[in-house]
Amino acid sequence: MSDVQTLDTRDLEQRVKEMYREVAEEPFKEFHFETGRALAERLGYPSDELDAIPAEAIDSFAGVGYYFDLARVQPGETVVDLGSGSGMDSFIAARQVAHSGRVVGIDMTEAQLAKARRLTADHGFANVEFVEAHIEQLPLADSSADIVISNGVVNLAPDKTKVFAEAARVLRPGGRLALADIVTSVQLPVGVTCDAALWAACIGGAMQRDDYREAIEAAGFELDDLKENVEYRFVSERADNATRKYGVKSVSLLAVKR
């Protein structure tokens, strides 16, 4: 816990907001990570699903894996998307829950929210709403959701135990947590975990894989499935070096609330 306590969390939040403002407004800019449709398709998103949602949302996609095959979203369900960005996963989920279901996207970056809300209105997604909030403190009622999803965002949170606890709180008993995220093979050194720039690049906040699993289970979940996303890669030299040195990798998982 000492590593987290020495991280400048206010600096981190500002860096994350600025980076993902650029992802929303300048999606074709070069980042530490890939964005866009080519990434989504390589990770496993079916082309027909992508064809059915707004292209601008796909342009700003910065996820790290595919998990909808694990989530098994059903019509009529309520889905909460943690770190919803410009809305790609939320829009996919909205089509799967259909008119009888509901999707709530949670994000803290104004530019991402503005883009997602505009696309929602422009493309007639009546069963989706986007709410400004932190994923550690969800403005949702207890036991109000069937599924919580997230893609490449939990690693950005300074306190992951709060994120998983909030996910458990808003899920009904038997509800599912389906996500993709960045984890590591070994514990990252303080020089990395206290570097807000590396956190914002989805590396500095990555949790050691076994610790990540234990944090999910401690929140009241039973891990059902976990797979490594070998198709995901970082693109900058600094990020790639950290990937090779510390075994930074992407995983997708499904956990069920006990």
Side-chain angles (χ1 to χ4, degrees), residues 67-68 70-82 93-94 96-97 102-106 138 140 143-150 166-168 170-179 221 253-257:
Y67 55 79
F68 280 100
L70 304 177
R72 300 187 299 276
V73 180
Q74 300 298 313
E77 291 189 312
T78 296
V79 178
V80 178
D81 185 1
L82 305 183
Q96 295 179 350
V97 301
R102 177 183 179 225
V103 177
V104 181
I106 305 292
L138 301 175
L140 302 170
S143 302
S144 58
D146 299 291
I147 312 174
V148 171
I149 62 175
S150 184
E166 277 291 88
V170 303
L171 281 169
R172 300 183 179 97
R176 289 106 70 202
L177 172 68
L179 58 81
F221 291 98
L253 64 84
L254 173 70
V256 179
K257 181 181 175 181

Side-chain angles (χ1 to χ4, degrees), residues 40 43-46 49-50 53-54 57-58 60-68 71 73 79-97 102-105 116 119 125 128 130 148-153 178-181 252:
L43 292 176
Y45 284 83
E49 289 279 1
L50 298 175
I53 64 172
I58 302 170
S60 292
F61 172 70
V64 301
Y66 182 69
Y67 55 79
F68 280 100
V73 180
V79 178
V80 178
D81 185 1
L82 305 183
S84 49
S86 292
M88 189 183 99
D89 281 3
S90 293
F91 293 133
I92 289 175
R95 296 186 69 252
Q96 295 179 350
V97 301
R102 177 183 179 225
V103 177
V104 181
L119 294 174
F125 280 89
V128 184
F130 292 95
V148 171
I149 62 175
S150 184
N151 203 330
V153 174
L179 58 81
D181 205 14
S252 293

